[in-house]
Coordinates of all heavy atoms in Angstrom, one line a residue:
M1459 N -45.3 100.8 125.1 CA -44.1 100.6 124.3 C -43.8 99.2 124.2 O -43.8 98.5 125.2 CB -43.0 101.4 124.9 CG -41.7 101.2 124.2 SD -40.3 102.1 125.0 CE -39.0 101.2 124.5
T1460 N -43.6 98.7 123.1 CA -43.1 97.3 122.9 C -41.6 97.2 122.9 O -41.0 98.2 122.4 CB -43.7 96.7 121.6 OG1 -43.3 97.5 120.5 CG2 -45.2 96.7 121.6
K1461 N -41.1 96.1 123.3 CA -39.7 95.9 123.4 C -39.1 95.7 121.9 O -39.8 95.0 121.2 CB -39.3 94.7 124.3 CG -37.9 94.6 124.5 CD -37.7 93.6 125.7 CE -37.2 92.3 125.1 NZ -36.9 91.3 126.2
L1462 N -38.0 96.3 121.6 CA -37.4 96.2 120.3 C -36.8 94.8 120.1 O -36.4 94.1 121.1 CB -36.3 97.2 120.1 CG -36.8 98.7 120.2 CD1 -35.6 99.6 120.0 CD2 -37.8 99.0 119.1
V1463 N -36.7 94.4 118.9 CA -36.0 93.2 118.5 C -34.6 93.6 118.1 O -34.3 94.5 117.4 CB -36.7 92.5 117.3 CG1 -35.9 91.3 116.8 CG2 -38.1 92.1 117.6
P1464 N -33.6 92.8 118.6 CA -32.2 93.2 118.4 C -31.7 93.0 116.9 O -32.3 92.1 116.3 CB -31.4 92.4 119.4 CG -32.2 91.2 119.6 CD -33.7 91.6 119.5
I1465 N -30.7 93.7 116.5 CA -30.0 93.5 115.3 C -28.8 92.6 115.6 O -28.0 93.0 116.5 CB -29.6 94.8 114.7 CG1 -30.7 95.8 114.4 CG2 -28.8 94.6 113.4 CD1 -30.3 97.2 114.2
C1466 N -28.7 91.5 115.0 CA -27.5 90.6 115.3 C -26.4 90.8 114.3 O -26.6 90.7 113.1 CB -28.0 89.1 115.3 SG -29.2 88.7 116.5
I1467 N -25.3 91.2 114.8 CA -24.1 91.5 114.0 C -22.9 90.9 114.6 O -22.5 91.2 115.8 CB -23.9 93.0 113.9 CG1 -25.1 93.8 113.3 CG2 -22.6 93.3 113.1 CD1 -25.0 95.3 113.4
E1468 N -22.3 89.9 113.9 CA -21.1 89.2 114.3 C -21.2 88.7 115.8 O -20.3 88.9 116.6 CB -19.9 90.1 114.1 CG -19.6 90.4 112.7 CD -18.4 91.2 112.4 OE1 -17.6 91.4 113.4 OE2 -18.2 91.7 111.3
G1469 N -22.3 88.1 116.1 CA -22.4 87.5 117.4 C -22.9 88.4 118.5 O -23.2 88.0 119.6
G1470 N -23.0 89.7 118.2 CA -23.5 90.7 119.2 C -24.9 91.1 118.9 O -25.4 90.9 117.7
K1471 N -25.6 91.5 119.9 CA -27.0 92.0 119.7 C -27.1 93.5 120.0 O -26.6 93.9 121.0 CB -27.9 91.2 120.6 CG -28.1 89.7 120.3 CD -29.0 89.1 121.2 CE -29.2 87.6 120.8 NZ -30.1 86.9 121.7
W1472 N -27.7 94.2 119.1 CA -27.7 95.7 119.2 C -29.1 96.2 118.8 O -29.8 95.6 118.2 CB -26.7 96.3 118.2 CG -25.3 95.8 118.3 CD1 -24.7 94.7 117.7 CD2 -24.3 96.3 119.2 NE1 -23.4 94.6 118.2 CE2 -23.1 95.6 119.1 CE3 -24.3 97.4 120.1 CZ2 -22.0 95.8 119.8 CZ3 -23.1 97.7 120.8 CH2 -22.0 96.9 120.6
I1473 N -29.3 97.5 119.3 CA -30.5 98.2 118.9 C -29.9 99.6 118.5 O -28.9 100.0 118.9 CB -31.6 98.4 119.9 CG1 -31.1 99.1 121.2 CG2 -32.2 97.1 120.3 CD1 -31.7 100.4 121.4
Q1474 N -30.6 100.3 117.6 CA -30.3 101.6 117.2 C -31.2 102.6 117.9 O -32.4 102.3 118.0 CB -30.4 101.9 115.7 CG -29.2 101.4 115.0 CD -29.2 101.8 113.5 OE1 -30.0 101.2 112.8 NE2 -28.4 102.8 113.2
L1475 N -30.7 103.7 118.4 CA -31.6 104.7 119.1 C -32.7 105.2 118.2 O -33.7 105.5 118.6 CB -30.7 105.8 119.7 CG -29.8 105.5 120.8 CD1 -29.0 106.7 121.3 CD2 -30.6 104.8 122.0
S1476 N -32.4 105.2 116.9 CA -33.4 105.7 115.9 C -34.6 104.7 115.8 O -35.6 105.1 115.2 CB -32.7 105.8 114.5 OG -32.3 104.6 114.0
Q1477 N -34.5 103.5 116.4 CA -35.7 102.6 116.4 C -36.7 103.1 117.5 O -37.8 102.6 117.5 CB -35.2 101.2 116.7 CG -34.4 100.6 115.6 CD -33.9 99.2 116.0 OE1 -32.8 99.1 116.7 NE2 -34.6 98.2 115.6
L1478 N -36.3 103.9 118.4 CA -37.1 104.4 119.5 C -37.8 105.7 119.1 O -37.3 106.4 118.2 CB -36.3 104.6 120.7 CG -35.6 103.3 121.3 CD1 -34.6 103.7 122.4 CD2 -36.7 102.4 121.9
S1479 N -38.8 106.1 119.8 CA -39.3 107.5 119.6 C -38.3 108.5 120.1 O -37.3 108.1 120.8 CB -40.6 107.6 120.4 OG -40.3 107.7 121.8
V1480 N -38.4 109.7 119.7 CA -37.4 110.7 120.0 C -37.3 110.8 121.6 O -36.2 110.9 122.1 CB -37.8 112.1 119.4 CG1 -36.9 113.2 119.9 CG2 -37.7 112.0 117.9
K1481 N -38.5 110.8 122.2 CA -38.5 110.9 123.7 C -37.8 109.8 124.4 O -37.0 109.9 125.3 CB -40.0 111.1 124.2 CG -40.1 111.2 125.7 CD -41.6 111.3 126.1 CE -41.7 111.3 127.6 NZ -43.1 111.4 128.0
Q1482 N -38.1 108.6 123.9 CA -37.5 107.4 124.5 C -36.0 107.3 124.2 O -35.3 106.9 125.1 CB -38.2 106.1 124.0 CG -39.6 106.0 124.5 CD -40.5 105.0 123.6 OE1 -40.0 104.6 122.5 NE2 -41.7 104.7 124.1
A1483 N -35.6 107.7 123.0 CA -34.2 107.7 122.7 C -33.4 108.7 123.6 O -32.4 108.4 124.1 CB -34.0 108.0 121.2
A1484 N -34.0 109.8 123.8 CA -33.4 110.8 124.7 C -33.3 110.3 126.1 O -32.3 110.5 126.8 CB -34.2 112.1 124.6
Q1485 N -34.4 109.7 126.6 CA -34.3 109.1 128.0 C -33.3 108.0 128.1 O -32.5 108.0 129.1 CB -35.7 108.5 128.3 CG -36.8 109.6 128.5 CD -38.2 108.9 128.7 OE1 -38.4 107.8 128.3 NE2 -39.1 109.7 129.3
L1486 N -33.2 107.1 127.2 CA -32.2 106.1 127.2 C -30.8 106.6 127.1 O -29.9 106.3 127.9 CB -32.4 105.0 126.1 CG -31.4 103.9 126.0 CD1 -31.2 103.2 127.3 CD2 -31.8 103.0 124.9
K1487 N -30.6 107.6 126.2 CA -29.3 108.1 126.0 C -28.8 108.9 127.3 O -27.6 108.8 127.6 CB -29.3 109.0 124.8 CG -27.9 109.4 124.3 CD -28.0 110.1 122.9 CE -26.6 110.3 122.4 NZ -26.7 111.0 121.1
S1488 N -29.7 109.6 127.9 CA -29.3 110.3 129.1 C -29.0 109.4 130.3 O -28.2 109.8 131.2 CB -30.4 111.3 129.5 OG -31.5 110.6 130.0
W1489 N -29.5 108.2 130.3 CA -29.3 107.2 131.3 C -28.0 106.5 131.1 O -27.4 106.0 132.1 CB -30.5 106.2 131.3 CG -30.4 105.1 132.3 CD1 -30.7 105.1 133.6 CD2 -30.0 103.8 132.0 NE1 -30.5 103.9 134.2 CE2 -30.1 103.0 133.2 CE3 -29.6 103.1 130.8 CZ2 -29.7 101.7 133.2 CZ3 -29.3 101.8 130.9 CH2 -29.3 101.1 132.1
L1490 N -27.6 106.3 129.9 CA -26.4 105.5 129.5 C -25.1 106.2 129.9 O -25.0 107.4 129.8 CB -26.3 105.3 128.0 CG -27.4 104.4 127.4 CD1 -27.4 104.5 125.9 CD2 -27.2 103.0 127.9
P1491 N -24.1 105.4 130.3 CA -22.7 106.0 130.4 C -22.2 106.5 129.0 O -22.7 106.0 128.0 CB -21.8 104.8 130.8 CG -22.8 103.8 131.3 CD -24.1 104.0 130.6
V1492 N -21.3 107.4 129.0 CA -20.9 108.1 127.8 C -20.4 107.2 126.7 O -20.8 107.3 125.5 CB -19.8 109.1 128.1 CG1 -19.3 109.8 126.9 CG2 -20.3 110.2 129.1
N1493 N -19.7 106.2 127.0 CA -19.1 105.3 126.0 C -20.0 104.2 125.5 O -19.6 103.2 124.8 CB -17.8 104.7 126.5 CG -16.7 105.8 126.7 OD1 -16.8 106.8 126.0 ND2 -15.8 105.6 127.6
S1494 N -21.3 104.2 125.9 CA -22.2 103.1 125.6 C -22.7 103.1 124.2 O -23.2 102.1 123.6 CB -23.3 103.0 126.6 OG -22.8 102.8 127.9
V1495 N -22.8 104.3 123.6 CA -23.3 104.5 122.3 C -22.2 104.3 121.3 O -21.2 104.9 121.3 CB -24.0 105.9 122.1 CG1 -24.5 106.0 120.7 CG2 -25.1 106.1 123.1
K1496 N -22.4 103.3 120.3 CA -21.3 102.9 119.4 C -21.8 103.1 118.0 O -22.9 103.1 117.7 CB -21.0 101.4 119.6 CG -20.7 101.0 121.0 CD -19.3 101.3 121.4 CE -19.1 100.7 122.8 NZ -17.9 101.2 123.4
K1497 N -20.8 103.1 117.1 CA -20.9 103.0 115.7 C -20.5 101.6 115.3 O -19.4 101.2 115.6 CB -20.1 104.0 114.9 CG -20.6 105.4 115.1 CD -19.7 106.4 114.3 CE -20.2 107.8 114.6 NZ -19.4 108.8 113.8
I1498 N -21.4 100.8 114.6 CA -21.1 99.4 114.3 C -21.1 99.3 112.7 O -22.0 99.6 112.1 CB -22.2 98.5 114.8 CG1 -22.4 98.7 116.3 CG2 -21.9 97.1 114.5 CD1 -21.3 98.4 117.2
P1499 N -19.9 98.8 112.2 CA -19.9 98.5 110.8 C -20.7 97.3 110.4 O -20.7 96.3 111.1 CB -18.4 98.3 110.5 CG -17.8 97.9 111.8 CD -18.7 98.5 112.9
F1500 N -21.5 97.4 109.4 CA -22.4 96.3 109.0 C -22.6 96.3 107.5 O -23.2 97.2 106.9 CB -23.7 96.4 109.7 CG -24.7 95.3 109.4 CD1 -24.4 94.0 109.7 CD2 -25.9 95.6 108.7 CE1 -25.3 92.9 109.4 CE2 -26.8 94.6 108.4 CZ -26.5 93.3 108.8
Q1501 N -22.1 95.3 106.8 CA -22.3 95.1 105.3 C -22.0 96.4 104.5 O -22.7 96.8 103.7 CB -23.7 94.7 105.0 CG -24.1 93.3 105.6 CD -25.5 92.8 105.3 OE1 -26.3 93.6 104.7 NE2 -25.8 91.6 105.6
G1502 N -20.8 96.9 104.9 CA -20.3 98.1 104.1 C -20.9 99.4 104.5 O -20.5 100.5 104.0
I1503 N -21.8 99.5 105.5 CA -22.3 100.7 106.0 C -22.0 100.8 107.5 O -21.6 99.8 108.2 CB -23.8 100.9 105.8 CG1 -24.6 99.8 106.6 CG2 -24.1 100.9 104.3 CD1 -26.1 100.0 106.5
E1504 N -22.1 102.0 108.1 CA -21.9 102.2 109.5 C -23.2 102.6 110.2 O -23.9 103.5 109.8 CB -20.9 103.3 109.7 CG -20.4 103.4 111.1 CD -19.2 104.4 111.2 OE1 -19.5 105.6 111.1 OE2 -18.1 103.9 111.3
L1505 N -23.6 101.7 111.1 CA -24.9 102.0 111.9 C -24.5 102.9 113.0 O -23.7 102.6 113.9 CB -25.5 100.7 112.4 CG -25.8 99.6 111.3 CD1 -26.3 98.4 112.0 CD2 -26.9 100.2 110.4
N1506 N -25.2 104.1 113.1 CA -24.9 105.0 114.1 C -25.8 104.8 115.4 O -26.9 104.3 115.3 CB -25.1 106.5 113.6 CG -24.1 106.8 112.5 OD1 -22.9 106.5 112.7 ND2 -24.6 107.4 111.5
E1507 N -25.3 105.3 116.5 CA -26.0 105.3 117.7 C -26.6 103.9 118.1 O -27.8 103.7 118.3 CB -27.1 106.3 117.8 CG -26.6 107.7 117.7 CD -27.6 108.8 118.0 OE1 -28.7 108.7 117.5 OE2 -27.3 109.7 118.8
C1508 N -25.7 102.9 118.2 CA -26.1 101.6 118.5 C -25.8 101.4 120.0 O -24.8 101.9 120.6 CB -25.3 100.5 117.7 SG -25.7 100.6 116.0
V1509 N -26.7 100.6 120.6 CA -26.6 100.3 122.1 C -26.7 98.8 122.2 O -27.5 98.1 121.6 CB -27.7 101.0 122.9 CG1 -27.7 100.6 124.3 CG2 -27.6 102.5 122.7
D1510 N -25.8 98.2 123.1 CA -25.9 96.8 123.3 C -27.3 96.4 123.8 O -27.9 97.1 124.6 CB -24.8 96.4 124.4 CG -24.8 95.0 124.7 OD1 -24.1 94.3 123.9 OD2 -25.5 94.5 125.6
F1511 N -27.8 95.3 123.2 CA -29.2 94.9 123.5 C -29.4 94.6 125.0 O -30.4 94.9 125.5 CB -29.6 93.7 122.6 CG -31.0 93.3 122.9 CD1 -32.0 94.1 122.3 CD2 -31.3 92.2 123.6 CE1 -33.4 93.7 122.5 CE2 -32.7 91.8 123.8 CZ -33.7 92.6 123.2
S1512 N -28.4 94.0 125.6 CA -28.6 93.7 127.1 C -28.7 94.9 127.9 O -29.5 95.0 128.9 CB -27.5 92.8 127.6 OG -26.2 93.4 127.5
T1513 N -28.0 96.0 127.5 CA -28.2 97.3 128.2 C -29.5 97.9 128.0 O -30.2 98.3 128.9 CB -27.1 98.3 127.7 OG1 -25.8 97.7 128.0 CG2 -27.2 99.6 128.5
Y1514 N -30.0 97.9 126.7 CA -31.3 98.3 126.4 C -32.4 97.5 127.1 O -33.3 98.1 127.7 CB -31.6 98.3 124.9 CG -33.0 98.3 124.5 CD1 -33.7 99.5 124.6 CD2 -33.7 97.1 124.2 CE1 -35.1 99.5 124.3 CE2 -35.0 97.1 123.9 CZ -35.7 98.3 123.9 OH -37.1 98.3 123.6
E1515 N -32.2 96.2 127.2 CA -33.2 95.3 127.8 C -33.3 95.7 129.3 O -34.4 95.7 129.9 CB -32.8 93.9 127.6 CG -33.9 92.9 127.9 CD -33.5 91.5 127.5 OE1 -32.3 91.1 127.6 OE2 -34.4 90.8 127.1
Y1516 N -32.2 95.9 130.0 CA -32.2 96.2 131.4 C -32.9 97.6 131.6 O -33.8 97.7 132.5 CB -30.8 96.3 131.9 CG -30.7 96.8 133.4 CD1 -30.9 95.9 134.4 CD2 -30.5 98.1 133.7 CE1 -30.9 96.3 135.7 CE2 -30.5 98.6 135.0 CZ -30.7 97.7 136.0 OH -30.7 98.1 137.3
W1517 N -32.6 98.6 130.7 CA -33.2 99.9 130.8 C -34.8 99.7 130.6 O -35.5 100.3 131.3 CB -32.6 100.8 129.8 CG -33.3 102.1 129.7 CD1 -33.2 103.2 130.5 CD2 -34.3 102.5 128.7 NE1 -34.0 104.2 130.1 CE2 -34.7 103.8 129.0 CE3 -34.9 101.8 127.6 CZ2 -35.6 104.5 128.3 CZ3 -35.8 102.5 126.9 CH2 -36.2 103.8 127.2
F1518 N -35.1 98.9 129.6 CA -36.5 98.7 129.3 C -37.3 98.1 130.5 O -38.3 98.6 130.9 CB -36.7 97.8 128.1 CG -38.1 97.5 127.6 CD1 -38.8 98.4 126.8 CD2 -38.7 96.4 128.1 CE1 -40.1 98.2 126.4 CE2 -40.0 96.1 127.7 CZ -40.7 97.0 126.9
R1519 N -36.7 97.1 131.1 CA -37.4 96.4 132.2 C -37.4 97.3 133.4 O -38.4 97.4 134.1 CB -36.7 95.2 132.5 CG -37.0 94.0 131.7 CD -36.6 92.7 132.2 NE -35.7 92.1 131.3 CZ -34.8 91.2 131.6 NH1 -34.7 90.7 132.8 NH2 -34.1 90.6 130.7
S1520 N -36.3 98.0 133.7 CA -36.3 98.8 134.9 C -37.1 100.1 134.8 O -37.6 100.6 135.8 CB -34.8 99.1 135.3 OG -34.2 99.9 134.4
H1521 N -37.2 100.7 133.6 CA -37.8 102.0 133.5 C -39.3 101.8 133.0 O -40.2 102.4 133.5 CB -37.0 102.9 132.6 CG -35.8 103.4 133.2 ND1 -34.7 102.7 133.5 CD2 -35.6 104.6 133.8 CE1 -33.8 103.4 134.1 NE2 -34.3 104.6 134.3
Y1522 N -39.5 101.1 131.9 CA -40.8 101.1 131.3 C -41.7 100.0 131.9 O -42.9 100.3 132.2 CB -40.7 100.9 129.8 CG -40.5 102.2 129.1 CD1 -39.3 102.7 128.9 CD2 -41.6 103.0 128.9 CE1 -39.1 104.0 128.3 CE2 -41.5 104.3 128.3 CZ -40.2 104.8 128.1 OH -40.0 106.0 127.6
V1523 N -41.2 98.8 132.2 CA -42.1 97.8 132.7 C -42.5 98.2 134.2 O -43.6 98.1 134.5 CB -41.4 96.4 132.7 CG1 -42.2 95.4 133.4 CG2 -41.2 96.0 131.2
N1524 N -41.5 98.7 134.9 CA -41.8 99.1 136.3 C -42.8 100.3 136.3 O -43.7 100.3 137.2 CB -40.5 99.5 137.1 CG -39.8 98.2 137.5 OD1 -40.3 97.1 137.6 ND2 -38.5 98.4 137.8
H1525 N -42.6 101.2 135.4 CA -43.6 102.4 135.4 C -45.0 101.9 135.0 O -46.0 102.4 135.5 CB -43.1 103.4 134.4 CG -41.9 104.2 134.9 ND1 -41.9 104.9 136.1 CD2 -40.6 104.2 134.4 CE1 -40.7 105.4 136.3 NE2 -39.9 105.0 135.3
L1526 N -45.1 101.0 134.1 CA -46.4 100.4 133.7 C -47.0 99.7 134.8 O -48.2 99.9 135.1 CB -46.2 99.5 132.5 CG -45.8 100.1 131.1 CD1 -45.6 99.1 130.1 CD2 -46.9 101.1 130.7
N1527 N -46.3 98.9 135.6 CA -46.8 98.2 136.7 C -47.3 99.2 137.8 O -48.3 99.0 138.4 CB -45.8 97.2 137.3 CG -45.6 96.0 136.4 OD1 -46.4 95.7 135.5 ND2 -44.5 95.4 136.6
Q1528 N -46.5 100.2 138.0 CA -46.9 101.3 139.0 C -48.2 102.0 138.6 O -49.1 102.2 139.4 CB -45.8 102.3 139.2 CG -44.6 101.8 139.9 CD -44.9 101.4 141.4 OE1 -45.8 102.0 142.0 NE2 -44.2 100.4 141.9
A1529 N -48.3 102.3 137.3 CA -49.5 103.0 136.8 C -50.7 102.1 136.9 O -51.8 102.6 137.2 CB -49.3 103.4 135.3
T1530 N -50.6 100.8 136.8 CA -51.7 99.9 136.9 C -52.2 99.8 138.3 O -53.3 99.7 138.6 CB -51.3 98.5 136.4 OG1 -50.8 98.5 135.1 CG2 -52.4 97.5 136.5
L1531 N -51.2 99.9 139.3 CA -51.6 99.8 140.7 C -52.1 101.2 141.3 O -52.7 101.2 142.3 CB -50.3 99.4 141.5 CG -49.9 98.0 141.1 CD1 -48.6 97.7 141.9 CD2 -50.9 96.9 141.5
D1532 N -51.8 102.3 140.6 CA -52.3 103.6 141.1 C -53.7 103.8 140.7 O -54.0 104.2 139.5 CB -51.4 104.7 140.5 CG -50.0 104.7 141.1 OD1 -49.8 104.1 142.1 OD2 -49.1 105.3 140.5
F1533 N -54.6 103.6 141.6 CA -56.0 103.9 141.3 C -56.7 104.6 142.3 O -56.4 104.8 143.4 CB -56.8 102.6 140.9 CG -56.6 101.5 142.0 CD1 -57.5 101.3 143.0 CD2 -55.6 100.5 141.9 CE1 -57.4 100.3 143.9 CE2 -55.5 99.5 142.8 CZ -56.4 99.4 143.8

């Protein structure tokens, strides 16, 4: 899995869960606190299921990068 590039909106950095695979989005959403998923207004539309990029980045590093490193070492 490659790390997503954030969407920059009014100084904040966000990702949408729809940018992830269904499995990865479900894993991230189940890990998040309830109020972490937001609706963000952007250029007259509302982006659903947005997560702060720093939260996503922490999850990505702690779950996916660590699992990849463990899989490499398991031989």
Side-chain angles (χ1 to χ4, degrees):
M1459 176 180 154
T1460 57
K1461 189 166 101 176
L1462 298 177
V1463 175
I1465 303 165
C1466 296
I1467 301 172
E1468 295 182 12
K1471 293 182 181 180
W1472 303 90
I1473 61 112
Q1474 280 188 284
L1475 292 179
S1476 62
Q1477 293 175 276
L1478 298 167
S1479 72
V1480 173
K1481 181 180 176 182
Q1482 293 162 347
Q1485 289 173 340
L1486 174 56
K1487 197 170 183 179
S1488 70
W1489 177 81
L1490 291 169
V1492 176
N1493 296 331
S1494 296
V1495 179
K1496 309 278 186 196
K1497 292 182 181 181
I1498 307 295
F1500 179 66
Q1501 296 181 351
I1503 62 171
E1504 191 170 73
L1505 301 176
N1506 293 317
E1507 294 194 314
C1508 293
V1509 176
D1510 182 84
F1511 183 73
S1512 62
T1513 302
Y1514 160 75
E1515 192 171 38
Y1516 176 82
W1517 173 81
F1518 180 84
R1519 279 195 240 160
S1520 63
H1521 286 76
Y1522 275 93
V1523 174
N1524 283 341
H1525 290 299
L1526 291 175
N1527 289 341
Q1528 288 296 328
T1530 304
L1531 296 174
D1532 290 341
F1533 52 90

